[in-house]
Amino acid sequence: MRNAMAMHAVSQIQMISVMVAQDYRTAIEIVGAKQDPVALALEADNRFNVFLFLPAHGHLAAFWRRHTNRLAPPNEASRDRVNLLCDEFHDWLKYEVNRWWLGKGRLIRRFAVLLARWNRVNMLELEEQMMMELTELYPLPRPDTDDFFDNPARFSPYPDVKRNGG
């Protein structure tokens, strides 16, 4: 099941990249900035590193799950159930990326710059800027770390094993 979900994630990230690249090139065409370096790079090279966008995908998926009250399917869920959930998320994601045109041009640009410069060495600052934009637009509550630090054994994958080796 994890493989199926991972394949859906890659497909969804590809969809976002295609939509953002097209949207960015359209915007550049509208304003007549024919020598925009990002648009030229997007036109010249349609490859990208999917790993750059996994944090963004994870954040958007967490937001969708929280606001639609859908949890990740259990391990024993049927492939049909997993595909249905992934398809619902895909449709929501496509709708949201289309909405970015309405006042979220900076987010489109952040994604486009990452797409255009995927093979550069230092992408961390650009990734952070994109994630800050996403976090502002799709806020999530802070994780509750108090429980973890108060009782880390509770979160152990092996609840019968003590952490001190005993």
Side-chain angles (χ1 to χ4, degrees):
M1 181 179 68
R2 286 188 187 272
N3 288 342
M5 291 177 74
M7 293 307 295
H8 280 284
V10 169
S11 169
Q12 292 158 354
I13 291 169
Q14 288 172 328
M15 178 205 54
I16 293 171
S17 71
V18 167
M19 290 176 70
V20 164
Q22 288 173 345
D23 289 351
Y24 189 82
R25 287 193 300 259
T26 299
I28 291 304
E29 189 175 310
I30 289 170
V31 299
K34 296 195 183 289
Q35 296 304 312
D36 180 80
V38 174
L40 292 172
L42 290 172
E43 196 68 39
D45 187 0
N46 65 357
R47 295 175 299 153
F48 71 98
N49 183 345
V50 71
F51 295 108
L52 285 174
F53 299 98
L54 282 175
H57 179 272
H59 184 86
L60 290 165
F63 180 88
W64 177 78
R65 284 192 309 268
R66 178 171 173 74
H67 289 279
T68 60
N69 291 321
R70 288 181 172 79
L71 301 174
N75 286 335
E76 63 274 1
S78 71
R79 184 172 294 273
D80 290 341
R81 175 81 176 127
V82 170
N83 287 337
L84 178 65
L85 286 173
C86 290
D87 289 346
E88 288 177 20
F89 174 65
H90 184 91
D91 292 344
W92 176 85
L93 193 57
K94 188 173 184 176
Y95 173 80
E96 287 298 311
V97 173
N98 279 322
R99 276 187 21 164
W100 293 350
W101 266 96
L102 305 172
K104 299 300 173 200
R106 216 170 49 195
L107 186 57
I108 291 174
R109 178 156 174 81
R110 299 254 193 253
F111 268 90
V113 168
L114 275 172
L115 283 169
R117 298 182 178 162
W118 68 272
N119 59 350
R120 301 284 170 90
V121 175
N122 188 2
M123 301 299 293
L124 188 57
E125 185 177 343
L126 292 172
E127 289 177 67
E128 287 175 354
Q129 291 169 353
M130 178 186 67
M131 288 305 299
M132 286 191 308
E133 294 274 340
L134 281 175
T135 301
E136 185 179 304
L137 185 58
Y138 303 97
L140 290 171
R142 294 185 52 80
D144 182 8
T145 55
D146 292 339
D147 286 342
F148 176 78
F149 291 112
D150 291 343
N151 186 4
R154 183 174 138 206
F155 294 92
S156 171
Y158 311 103
D160 297 334
V161 178
K162 294 182 181 176
R163 296 230 182 234
N164 62 5

